[in-house]
Amino acid sequence: MDTNDKPTLVVDGLAFAEGPRWHEGKLWFSDFYTHEVKCIDADGKVGTVATVPGQPSGLGWLPDGRLLVVSMTDRRLLRQDGDKLTLVADLAGLAPFHCNDMVVDRHGRAYIGNFGFDLVAKETPRPTVLIMVTPDGKAQVAAENLLFPNGCVITPDERTLVVAETFGKRLTAFDIADDGFLSNRRVWAELGDAFPDGICLDAEGAIWVASPTTSEFLRVHEGGKISSRIPSEQQAIACALGGSDGKTLYMVTGRVGRADKSLAERTGKILSLRVDVAGAAW
């Protein structure tokens, strides 16, 4: 990647986008405040895939190809069956506040984060849990005492899960057992002033991190070394690696704020930039 390269605009006019995923030749994402899951095809055409009244966030897919989507404000995991959304699991008994990002493994197990507190009301941050939902709909705590568990990745060997602790200002890793349970918690990288939001993993084991507070996308290595920084004109919200060769970094930007203001201003964008290392993991 040439540090002088300028990002290309993919789409703008979004209320507040999150959860980008490259899947089957398309870029998928959630637009919180329009309550829509959208995708962009190879020709740049944007289509609406699903409408989620409780605000969509994290996206993933079951082994049979059906879409899973996190419904934020009512704290539920939904599955798209044809033209309708079906409840997979009610997470309200485990998540104390809005749910957010998610990663789904090849078995269909979904790992889902949540705020843990009312961010918009400026409550004091407090620890919460990472939730695992099995394909049969059983929801259980996978990890405790996390400060705003957000973006997650699973390594290609399926043995390690890394989660962004937004208010912990770190990436935290766990070993994944055969049954999906997590153990051997450890700090993967301390991030200084960066509050990590969405993340994605590349084939060299580095993690791209969206940092809203510093308005940049960081390529971080285990231990905390930062090898690339891409500044953003707005807050950096989330990222995904995709494209035909996996070397296009999709960068979601916007402004964290109230729904009414976001809907009125429509400042959300997705930009792209070619990078040297392709994406990896789930």
Side-chain angles (χ1 to χ4, degrees):
M1 179 182 67
D2 187 332
T3 55
N4 294 317
D5 288 348
K6 299 296 182 183
T8 299
L9 178 66
V10 176
V11 63
D12 60 3
L14 305 174
F16 189 85
E18 254 283 20
R21 295 286 185 269
W22 183 263
H23 180 70
E24 293 187 342
K26 297 179 181 180
L27 181 68
W28 303 62
F29 63 94
S30 295
D31 197 359
F32 279 10
Y33 299 131
T34 64
H35 303 274
E36 295 174 330
V37 177
K38 296 177 175 290
C39 67
I40 305 173
D41 64 19
D43 296 324
K45 183 180 178 180
V46 181
T48 298
V49 177
T51 299
V52 181
Q55 288 184 198
S57 185
L59 305 175
W61 287 265
L62 290 167
D64 64 11
R66 287 179 294 174
L67 173 70
L68 294 178
V69 55
V70 171
S71 183
M72 293 184 66
T73 59
D74 54 4
R75 291 171 281 172
R76 303 192 301 167
L77 178 64
L78 307 176
R79 182 184 66 240
Q80 189 175 43
D81 294 320
D83 59 358
K84 67 178 183 178
L85 292 173
T86 302
L87 176 67
V88 177
D90 187 333
L91 311 176
L94 299 175
F97 205 67
H98 296 346
C99 292
N100 51 17
D101 216 336
M102 169 177 68
V103 67
V104 181
D105 71 12
R106 73 179 179 91
H107 305 286
R109 294 181 295 229
Y111 296 87
I112 304 166
N114 68 91
F115 290 23
F117 65 97
D118 190 338
L119 175 64
V120 175
K122 298 183 180 179
E123 287 185 353
T124 300
R126 56 180 178 268
T128 186
V129 299
L130 184 69
I131 299 168
M132 179 178 71
V133 180
T134 53
D136 61 2
K138 183 178 181 180
Q140 48 209 311
V141 172
E144 299 178 306
N145 200 34
L146 296 166
L147 282 170
F148 206 111
N150 209 330
C152 291
V153 295
I154 295 173
T155 55
D157 63 6
E158 305 176 58
R159 307 310 298 177
T160 304
L161 179 145
V162 181
V163 57
E165 287 190 72
T166 300
F167 279 81
K169 297 189 287 186
R170 60 181 171 254
L171 301 178
T172 299
F174 295 89
D175 292 344
I176 306 173
D178 290 341
D179 59 6
F181 283 96
L182 306 179
S183 64
N184 189 26
R185 176 179 179 159
R186 56 202 181 272
V187 174
W188 196 89
E190 296 281 4
L191 297 175
D193 294 332
F195 286 64
D197 194 334
I199 63 176
C200 61
L201 181 72
D202 72 24
E204 291 183 352
I207 294 178
W208 283 98
V209 175
S211 171
T213 52
T214 60
S215 297
E216 59 187 340
F217 294 88
L218 311 170
R219 185 172 184 252
V220 182
H221 301 259
E222 187 171 7
K225 177 185 174 183
I226 297 173
S227 59
S228 295
R229 294 178 182 267
I230 303 172
S232 172
E233 294 179 357
Q234 300 189 101
Q235 290 179 308
I237 305 301
C239 52
L241 284 160
S244 59
D245 61 358
K247 293 184 179 181
T248 298
L249 179 67
Y250 292 97
M251 300 173 288
V252 177
T253 71
R255 297 174 188 161
V256 176
R258 300 190 317 269
D260 56 348
K261 188 174 183 180
S262 296
L263 283 166
E265 295 180 347
R266 299 288 183 124
T267 59
K269 299 178 182 179
I270 300 178
L271 305 154
S272 68
L273 189 67
R274 295 289 293 166
V275 296
D276 297 328
V277 183
W282 297 94

